[in-house]
Amino acid sequence: MVLGLRSAIGSDVGRRRTSNQDSGATTSRMLVVADGMGGHAHGEIASSVTVAALAELDARLPQDLVGVDLAAEMSGALVDATDRLGQWAAHDPDTRGMGTTVVTLLLSGEHLALAHIGDSRIYLLRDGVLTQMTHDHTMVQQLVDEGQITPEEALSHPRRSVLMRALSTDHPPEPDLDRIEIRAGDRFLLCSDGVTAVLDDDALLEHVGSGEPDDVVARLIETANERGGPDNITAVVADVVELEDEGPPRPTDPRLVGAAAEATTPG
């Protein structure tokens, strides 16, 4: 049995932002969401550069990933993204301090390699149960982990968006890395906090639990906007499916959304 991904992606500026600093990309085997840090200079550059570095990794890896150290490859791509941001900041000092979150999955056989920095999230829906596969790198999540506040208090905490970790020009990346065993019928959601800031786990399950990936992405964006759209909104929904081909899926050109779809390079 050969497993593949059938995915959909969408991004929207939301109701309160004037520009979209989110970026996203999907290919036949890679899924990426990056949320440029809105409180810093040029978050749209940071997110689009990071997505580009990961898409280039996907393109240069062999079709058959057996034996490839994907954790090392993904870490290397994030270091590459950090270096690119540093070069951009050297060219344009106004962009110093820009940063982004990133969540990404890369398919290899019956597993997905995962990399995560920040508070964008990955969820797995399996057998009707929605499980968060990432752990937010935020001040508020740290307070929850230490028992100083409850998860319910975290939802309305005034500093819930303060990141403890991000990919930026200021320091080397510190991603969480994981490997997820998958099976046909699994569904994954990758999203920026423009989704999770206004939809709790029950609402996410209601939306993600049924329908085709394209329809789910559209509903998530519509509902987030109906609930105020306080931030940029980006979502990827991907189903794990059985492929008729005998070999692993061939890499495809990325489908880009958000800032990545309008990316430029420093002149």
Side-chain angles (χ1 to χ4, degrees):
M1 177 180 63
V2 178
L3 297 178
L5 297 173
R6 185 165 56 93
S7 64
I9 186 171
S11 187
D12 189 83
V13 69
R15 296 285 174 84
R16 301 184 193 173
R17 303 292 189 186
T18 58
S19 64
N20 194 347
Q21 295 190 332
D22 283 3
S23 291
T26 59
T27 72
S28 59
R29 61 183 185 179
M30 178 173 272
L31 315 170
V32 187
V33 169
D35 178 357
M37 293 162 62
H40 292 69
H42 303 290
E44 71 278 3
I45 297 173
S47 69
S48 61
V49 166
T50 300
V51 164
L54 287 163
E56 290 171 21
L57 168 67
D58 179 44
R60 69 174 177 266
L61 286 174
Q63 181 179 352
D64 189 343
L65 297 178
V66 174
V68 177
D69 187 342
L70 293 182
E73 293 288 351
M74 295 170 86
S75 293
L78 296 178
V79 170
D80 180 34
T82 302
D83 290 343
R84 296 186 195 190
L85 295 185
Q87 292 167 14
W88 197 305
H91 173 81
D92 181 358
D94 287 343
T95 64
R96 289 175 183 166
M98 62 180 168
T100 184
T101 72
V102 60
V103 285
T104 183
L105 294 171
L106 178 60
L107 175 68
S108 175
E110 297 182 1
H111 296 85
L112 284 168
L114 177 155
H116 159 58
I117 305 174
D119 64 351
S120 295
R121 293 180 180 176
I122 299 175
Y123 291 85
L124 165 63
L125 177 65
R126 175 180 288 172
D127 298 332
V129 178
L130 187 70
T131 304
Q132 185 176 330
M133 307 301 291
T134 52
H135 196 69
D136 292 349
H137 300 142
T138 60
M139 177 183 294
V140 164
Q141 184 61 57
Q142 182 172 312
L143 293 175
V144 172
D145 295 341
E146 295 171 351
Q148 297 187 42
I149 63 173
T150 67
E152 292 73 25
E153 289 171 333
L155 295 175
S156 58
H157 195 283
R159 306 196 71 184
R160 60 187 178 276
S161 297
V162 176
L163 294 176
M164 303 299 290
R165 261 194 263 174
L167 191 151
S168 74
T169 61
D170 297 332
H171 48 73
E174 300 177 66
D176 288 346
L177 302 167
D178 203 355
R179 178 179 166 94
I180 304 170
E181 186 173 348
I182 57 173
R183 62 193 192 205
D186 286 346
R187 170 169 283 185
F188 286 88
L189 167 66
L190 291 74
C191 60
S192 63
D193 68 344
V195 175
T196 54
V198 291
L199 278 75
D200 61 17
D201 285 359
D202 289 339
L204 288 176
L205 178 59
E206 180 181 350
H207 285 77
V208 177
S210 63
E212 294 299 309
D214 279 314
D215 295 331
V216 175
V217 168
R219 288 201 308 266
L220 287 170
I221 292 173
E222 180 181 16
T223 303
N225 275 322
E226 287 175 350
R227 298 188 180 186
D231 203 348
N232 304 147
I233 307 159
T234 302
V236 173
V237 174
D239 289 339
V240 179
V241 298
E242 293 186 31
L243 300 179
E244 296 180 0
D245 297 338
E246 295 183 358
R250 297 181 180 275
T252 57
D253 290 337
R255 180 183 176 190
L256 302 172
V257 298
E262 303 177 1
T264 59
T265 56

